[in-house]
Amino acid sequence: MVPDGESIKTMFLYDYKGTNVTTTKISEHVHSLTVHLDQESENYSDVICDTTKGNINGASFHASYPPDDSDLKCETRDLESIDCFWNVGRAANEHPAMERTYQLQGSSCINGRSGKCSQKVKLDAAERNWTLTATNRLGKLEIHDNADLTKRVHLVAPDKVAASTVNPRNISLKWSWTVQKYSNLNITCQVHVSDGNSNTKTENIGVGLTAAVIKDLIPHWDYVVRVRCGTAQHFWKWGDWSKSVKICTKGDVPDALDVWMKVKADQAVISWKVPLTNQSHGEIFDYKVSWAKTKDKNQSNQTNVSRSNHSLTLTLDPSEEYMVTVTARNINGSSSPSTIIIPRSNLDTSEVKTSWISGSNGSFFLSWPDSPNASCGYIVDWCPVFGNCTFEWMKVPPNRTHTTVFSKNFEDGRRYLLSIYACTEGAAVLLQRRKGYIRETKIGVELFKLKYKQEDSAVEVSWEPIPLEKQTASIHGYILYYQDKSGNVFNVSTDDPEATSLTAKNLNISMYTFTVTASTAFGLCGNSSINVTLNPPADQLIMLILISLGAVFLILSVSTIICYRQWACIKHKVYPPIPKPVLTDQWLTLPDEHTSHHLHFDQSYYREVLDIPKLHDQFRPPQPEVDQDYKPFTFSQTPKGYYNKPLKKSQPCLTLPTTGLTSQPGLPSSPINGVFPNPLYNPSYNLVLQSVDREVKSGPEVHEGIPFIRSFSGYQPQSPDETFTTTELEEYPNSPISCVSTYILLPQKTSN
């Protein structure tokens, strides 16, 4: 409404963006606004009015619902009062102007907006109509529930729950009720038992029930217990839970042990799982193991094993079957015996198949065909293939032929052997075997220790079997790469994972680099290399030696021919010409032709020896006569004269060259090679010349009636009127004969 003199020009809903807005003029001072909301509105909003005089006014409005509560349910807890519950309708938190009020059976309900109302009433075993009235400024609502409340009893929680009797495997509970009328009701109670890992519930029924028995408990174990109850005849709902109570059962003997075995040759390893706390029922003192042959059980052996050990190795006769029994002992006594049959270890298991298996998600999934022998189920055991076989096992019920094997001890890159046995009344029967990895890992480098052996043009590269602890992945084969000095790469391969050698053929005589690698799921792994220099084959080596010897012989032959042709030059360099000595007739004439003296040309005393009558130290330039048969000679003494001997090569000085001398006609014959006559003294001495190689040359030549003896060394005897001249080196014109090891024979007088 607006004052006199004004009228409403526009009218709208503040901050509303919708389009379904209708304005209606009722009178000059009254207008109406109709809005069809397309979304849920706030509890209240503003309406703006713009008048003809420019005044802006408005009003607020509140939007709500009439009561729409539902689903009234009534019950009793103590058989002396009524409790009703319902679902509160929309706009429960509405504006105070629209607040709802509730009445139950005509009496006001305090806090009725929470959907609960209680009243003290007198109950009887009859069905009644229970009415709830809800009212606000927009409307009024009544909801009804027809029920006999004696059949709708909601029991309160049991009080003072406790254990009256505690045994190793059962407990007796008791409690009380705070409502006296419960003693006439037929009650069922539920006991909840929890040990922290599992929960169980048991039910007990009785009139005015105040006790219950809990069975199948674990000895020496802690439990938490609570109880709730309800009516048994006209069950309405479970009552409230009691307070929790902690109870510990008494101890008992240990549970029977889980025993298994591994047999190899005459060794049997008996192992048992460590009893869990809920199995030992107290502290384990020790274990007792007894064994005997199955055909003679009376002769039993036994031993005690400390509680820290959980296996025992027995040395048994492999041709006999044994029965082994293991028990555990604690303060309460010994467990039930666990018996296992050890079969003869010489049984043939070669027909049992072994196949590969791959792990998944840290475990192995196994399945096998059903076995009629598995009267007590199946046993699956596993252990690492290499190292000590610390085996683990699990038991599978008879109606299952598959299982998932998991162990906290599984490691990546380690090979495991899994065996499946059928459990029988006697010894377990091996059915199948598996081997594989939980997860394969890449094999490291330098896996192989390589050796090689050459046979002709082929090289066999071998290696020791790869230790299983280094086989972190399954090996599918091997590849041998070989590279020559030119960089050419070749390879040979094998698919045999058990191979230990590969051979490269038709190789050249060269140096090769051989590399062996293993083929795995990760590709090529474990690369190892070795450098090899190939030797020629034996026949080629012999041929090479013969060719080398032939080449050496050819070189020596050519060298010999060259040296022979150049012998004169070499002889001149090695044995230079010796100057001729000058002799007089007086030196050549001696009183006694049978007496002779040695004249030694030695650098230490040659002057003393040459100091004889008529020996002139006079020399003339040498006139050597070159001859291809030039040979050195020496003088030596014989019984009838003197002859020359060749010097040995080990002598330190050069020898005088010489030539053989023979007798000429008209001269006295002599057995020696040559004679120098002396007409003055008429000596009969002999000067004998002998070549080193004992080769006799032409005899003495007669020159002007005088015997002339020619020497290839340049030594020529002179006539009686000539001096005996010795050829001297030009570098030393005044030097006497330079050879130290040469002897000159002096004439000696002979007796007539």
Side-chain angles (χ1 to χ4, degrees):
M1 300 180 66
V2 295
D4 294 341
E6 296 184 27
S7 63
I8 296 176
K9 185 171 67 173
T10 59
M11 188 177 180
F12 58 91
L13 189 64
Y14 181 74
D15 277 346
Y16 182 69
K17 306 300 182 181
T19 58
N20 296 324
V21 179
T22 303
T23 303
T24 304
K25 181 179 179 181
I26 299 175
S27 67
E28 290 295 332
H29 301 285
V30 180
H31 289 70
S32 68
L33 177 68
T34 303
V35 179
H36 295 279
L37 301 177
D38 55 5
Q39 58 187 1
E40 188 175 352
S41 173
E42 297 285 344
N43 285 339
Y44 59 91
S45 299
D46 292 334
V47 177
I48 305 301
C49 298
D50 186 9
T51 66
T52 55
K53 291 186 178 182
N55 294 324
I56 298 177
N57 295 287
S60 295
F61 76 92
H62 179 73
S64 186
Y65 304 92
D68 57 353
D69 302 84
S70 63
D71 195 18
L72 178 65
K73 296 294 181 181
C74 296
E75 65 182 21
T76 183
R77 306 210 70 177
D78 55 6
L79 298 175
E80 296 178 352
S81 62
I82 183 174
D83 296 321
C84 294
F85 304 90
W86 65 90
N87 295 327
V88 178
R90 294 173 295 177
N93 297 322
E94 59 190 4
H95 193 272
M98 296 295 178
E99 183 178 1
R100 302 174 190 180
T101 60
Y102 294 94
Q103 290 181 340
L104 179 63
Q105 296 296 102
S107 300
S108 298
C109 294
I110 301 174
N111 297 325
R113 289 178 296 177
S114 63
K116 178 182 179 181
C117 186
S118 299
Q119 286 184 357
K120 284 285 186 179
V121 295
K122 184 179 180 180
L123 298 178
D124 52 14
E127 186 174 314
R128 293 179 56 181
N129 184 28
W130 307 96
T131 303
L132 176 70
T133 302
T135 307
N136 70 359
R137 293 178 62 181
L138 299 177
K140 179 180 178 181
L141 175 68
E142 288 186 353
I143 53 177
H144 305 276
D145 181 23
N146 294 321
D148 180 1
L149 294 187
T150 59
K151 298 179 181 179
R152 290 188 177 181
V153 181
H154 184 192
L155 300 180
V156 298
D159 186 34
K160 297 180 180 179
V161 178
S164 60
T165 304
V166 178
N167 295 315
R169 301 181 186 274
N170 59 73
I171 298 173
S172 297
L173 291 179
K174 66 177 182 176
W175 61 87
S176 62
W177 296 108
T178 58
V179 179
Q180 295 300 324
K181 290 187 177 182
Y182 286 179
S183 58
N184 298 323
L185 296 178
N186 191 11
I187 297 174
T188 178
C189 292
Q190 191 176 67
V191 180
H192 180 266
V193 182
S194 174
D195 61 357
N197 298 319
S198 61
N199 300 297
T200 58
K201 293 178 181 179
T202 61
E203 293 186 12
N204 296 268
I205 299 175
V207 176
L209 188 64
T210 58
V213 177
I214 308 173
K215 299 180 180 180
D216 300 325
L217 300 180
I218 300 173
H220 194 67
W221 201 248
D222 291 332
Y223 290 95
V224 176
V225 180
R226 58 180 182 169
V227 182
R228 66 179 180 179
C229 300
T231 56
Q233 186 175 359
H234 303 288
F235 182 81
W236 170 241
K237 63 174 65 172
W238 286 110
D240 298 333
W241 284 107
S242 68
K243 293 181 180 179
S244 297
V245 179
K246 185 177 181 180
I247 302 173
C248 181
T249 57
K250 291 184 178 180
D252 198 358
V253 297
D255 291 347
L257 297 173
D258 187 355
V259 182
W260 189 234
M261 53 79 189
K262 279 289 184 182
V263 180
K264 185 176 182 180
D266 61 344
Q267 298 289 320
V269 179
I270 311 300
S271 183
W272 52 92
K273 291 184 178 180
V274 180
L276 302 176
T277 307
N278 60 349
Q279 296 172 334
S280 61
H281 312 323
E283 183 180 1
I284 297 294
F285 291 163
D286 57 12
Y287 304 94
K288 184 175 74 173
V289 181
S290 59
W291 64 98
K293 297 178 182 179
T294 53
K295 64 181 181 181
D296 192 5
K297 298 180 181 179
N298 295 328
Q299 295 183 359
S300 159
N301 302 291
Q302 69 178 22
T303 184
N304 291 332
V305 180
S306 66
R307 63 182 181 182
S308 60
N309 295 327
H310 306 98
S311 65
L312 178 65
T313 301
L314 301 176
T315 301
L316 305 175
D317 185 353
S319 62
E320 295 288 342
E321 185 180 77
Y322 287 81
M323 182 176 66
V324 180
T325 302
V326 185
T327 58
R329 185 174 66 93
N330 65 6
I331 193 174
N332 300 301
S334 298
S335 65
S336 300
S338 298
T339 302
I340 189 171
I341 303 298
I342 300 179
R344 296 188 300 272
S345 60
N346 56 4
L347 294 178
D348 185 15
T349 59
S350 59
E351 295 183 357
V352 177
K353 297 181 179 179
T354 301
S355 58
W356 277 97
I357 186 173
S358 297
S360 177
N361 298 324
S363 61
F364 292 107
F365 177 77
L366 295 173
S367 63
W368 56 91
D370 185 28
S371 174
N373 297 325
S375 59
C376 53
Y378 301 90
I379 301 171
V380 178
D381 69 13
W382 61 92
C383 69
V385 174
F386 63 89
N388 293 329
C389 181
T390 305
F391 57 91
E392 300 177 76
W393 68 93
M394 65 182 300
K395 294 183 177 179
V396 182
N399 58 346
R400 288 178 54 191
T401 57
H402 65 275
T403 188
T404 299
V405 177
F406 176 80
S407 172
K408 63 181 180 180
N409 297 320
F410 280 151
E411 298 179 9
D412 293 342
R414 196 170 191 182
R415 184 182 297 184
Y416 291 90
L417 177 66
L418 299 93
S419 303
I420 303 170
Y421 295 84
C423 177
T424 68
E425 294 181 357
V429 178
L430 178 62
L431 300 178
Q432 291 182 0
R433 279 183 175 150
R434 306 277 197 279
K435 60 181 178 180
Y437 298 84
I438 283 290
R439 189 174 72 87
E440 298 182 57
T441 59
K442 188 176 180 63
I443 300 178
V445 297
E446 296 297 331
L447 178 66
F448 305 92
K449 295 181 179 179
L450 301 180
K451 298 179 181 178
Y452 75 94
K453 180 175 66 175
Q454 179 184 350
E455 293 183 1
D456 297 334
S457 62
V459 172
E460 180 187 42
V461 178
S462 60
W463 56 90
E464 296 178 359
I466 309 304
L468 291 177
E469 59 268 21
K470 294 185 178 181
Q471 294 188 35
T472 58
S474 58
I475 297 177
H476 307 305
Y478 302 94
I479 301 177
L480 172 64
Y481 293 95
Y482 51 100
Q483 180 179 7
D484 58 17
K485 292 192 297 184
S486 302
N488 300 319
V489 180
F490 310 91
N491 70 82
V492 292
S493 62
T494 178
D495 294 331
D496 181 10
E498 305 297 330
T500 57
S501 66
L502 283 170
T503 302
K505 300 180 180 180
N506 301 323
L507 302 179
N508 298 323
I509 304 303
S510 177
M511 186 181 75
Y512 286 85
T513 299
F514 292 91
T515 302
V516 176
T517 183
S519 176
T520 69
F522 290 91
L524 302 180
C525 304
N527 299 358
S528 303
S529 299
I530 185 174
N531 294 324
V532 177
T533 300
L534 269 65
N535 297 318
D539 52 350
Q540 295 184 10
L541 184 61
I542 295 173
M543 185 62 66
L544 182 61
I545 294 174
L546 293 177
I547 293 174
S548 301
L549 292 176
V552 171
F553 178 76
L554 181 61
I555 293 172
L556 292 177
S557 300
V558 173
S559 301
T560 302
I561 294 172
I562 294 174
C563 292
Y564 180 77
R565 292 189 175 183
Q566 301 295 328
W567 177 248
C569 179
I570 296 174
K571 181 174 63 176
H572 182 74
K573 295 295 184 181
V574 177
Y575 303 105
I578 300 173
K580 300 177 180 179
V582 179
L583 302 176
T584 61
D585 294 339
Q586 290 81 2
W587 183 82
L588 294 173
T589 305
L590 294 176
D592 189 355
E593 66 179 17
H594 297 288
T595 303
S596 65
H597 297 278
H598 291 283
L599 179 60
H600 301 273
F601 285 86
D602 194 307
Q603 292 180 356
S604 61
Y605 56 91
Y606 70 94
R607 296 184 184 271
E608 178 181 355
V609 175
L610 292 177
D611 191 12
I612 59 176
K614 302 298 182 174
L615 180 61
H616 300 278
D617 187 11
Q618 181 179 352
F619 295 89
R620 60 182 175 182
Q623 297 177 357
E625 196 174 36
V626 180
D627 186 42
Q628 294 295 331
D629 298 327
Y630 184 95
K631 297 184 182 296
F633 71 95
T634 57
F635 292 94
S636 59
Q637 186 177 5
T638 60
K640 292 185 179 181
Y642 304 92
Y643 63 94
N644 300 318
K645 268 190 180 178
L647 292 176
K648 295 182 180 179
K649 293 183 180 180
S650 61
Q651 291 179 342
C653 68
L654 300 176
T655 59
L656 289 175
T658 183
T659 184
L661 299 178
T662 58
S663 302
Q664 296 293 330
L667 295 177
S669 63
S670 175
I672 61 174
N673 296 43
V675 179
F676 291 90
N678 192 334
L680 298 178
Y681 296 97
N682 194 17
S684 59
Y685 73 93
N686 299 327
L687 182 61
V688 180
L689 303 178
Q690 183 178 356
S691 174
V692 173
D693 56 358
R694 301 180 182 275
E695 184 175 351
V696 180
K697 300 297 180 179
S698 61
E701 299 178 2
V702 179
H703 183 64
E704 296 181 357
I706 301 173
F708 178 75
I709 301 175
R710 183 182 174 186
S711 172
F712 287 99
S713 64
Y715 174 81
Q716 297 177 357
Q718 303 297 318
S719 63
D721 296 333
E722 293 179 345
T723 59
F724 190 26
T725 306
T726 305
T727 305
E728 181 71 6
L729 296 176
E730 294 181 0
E731 292 84 356
Y732 307 99
N734 297 323
S735 174
I737 297 175
S738 60
C739 185
V740 176
S741 61
T742 304
Y743 294 91
I744 297 179
L745 302 181
L746 296 179
Q748 295 183 3
K749 184 183 292 185
T750 59
S751 59
N752 292 327

